[in-house]
Amino acid sequence: MVPVDDTALSVTDSRGPGRPVVYLNGSYAGQRSWRRVIAELGPEWRHVTYDERARGGSKRSADYSFEGCLRDVDAVVEATGVDQPLLVGWSYGAALAVHWADRNPDRVAGVVSVDGAVPWGLTGEQNQERIRRAFRTMRLGLPLARPFGLAASMTAAQHAEVNIEINEVCAALEPVLDRLSCPVRYVLASGANLGGDAAEMERMRASLEPVLRRNLNLRVSAKVGSNHTQILRKDFRAIAAAAREVAAERARKDR
């Protein structure tokens, strides 16, 4: 367990000999979501996974903010001693990855964003109420979803506030993406998501296009057939391929 602030994080480090990869989870998911990607990349890489506060095996906290989660990335990197990690983030974790890379440009090898870190979000009072209403509806099912890594050890209201904040973070993401100087590869899903229909999700993904034209460090590695929820399970090979792309690009830059 790695202590940080008022909590402690469950961390797993394969200690492999190669490029370190730090995996950043979706909003309420746990580290086991990455097992197929890790198996595909193989033991020659160093794989570092962890559970965010109140997710998986990590302890609860009084602070579930995005900034708190960025401090968790700092704590895990410091505790494991990884140098120049490649950050692979899914959904919420993708936003963490690009923010951490922006703040630590000399400490990061690159980023793989898995259907996340795009400059679009549901903001404003109407959408905030929509999110709160959705989690109130799901409140009885959240404890049942926790053992499967689909919910956190939080109340429905806390789940909603995490979701509201990440929508605001993503809506303001464009300047962060414009500044990134490391290689970034996107693996984008298709179709709908829980809480968003297919058309809405495609508008979200399309918001990335102007940034791709401006910052050539950012590219789409693949657009896959699975949806946002299924992507780690069904398209792990595309994610591993994107990680290899970033590692190769980093190696070229370092020559």
Side-chain angles (χ1 to χ4, degrees), residues 129-245:
E129 181 50 33
R130 168 185 167 184
I131 292 166
R132 292 187 180 106
R133 186 167 57 249
F135 279 98
R136 284 196 298 269
T137 301
M138 292 187 288
R139 68 188 183 281
L140 297 179
L142 292 174
L144 302 176
R146 283 175 199 151
F148 302 97
L150 300 174
S153 297
M154 302 176 186
T155 66
Q158 288 170 325
H159 278 83
E161 294 309 310
V162 167
N163 195 284
I164 287 167
E165 185 189 29
I166 192 58
N167 272 279
E168 293 170 348
V169 166
C170 288
L173 202 55
E174 209 161 322
V176 174
L177 299 177
D178 283 339
R179 288 192 299 265
L180 289 175
S181 57
C182 66
V184 180
R185 296 294 178 270
Y186 283 83
V187 179
L188 299 177
S190 301
N193 178 41
L194 180 65
D197 63 25
E200 186 173 69
M201 294 298 287
E202 285 307 304
R203 287 196 299 274
M204 177 196 78
R205 295 169 187 127
S207 70
L208 186 61
E209 293 171 5
V211 181
L212 295 175
R213 290 194 291 269
R214 292 194 302 269
N215 187 345
L216 299 183
N217 292 309
L218 281 60
R219 300 178 198 166
V220 174
S221 176
K223 178 79 178 283
V224 298
S226 56
N227 67 24
H228 184 80
T229 304
Q230 299 167 332
I231 192 167
L232 297 188
R233 179 166 53 88
K234 292 191 172 183
D235 284 296
F236 58 90
R237 291 185 182 88
I239 298 165
R244 294 187 186 103
E245 282 181 45

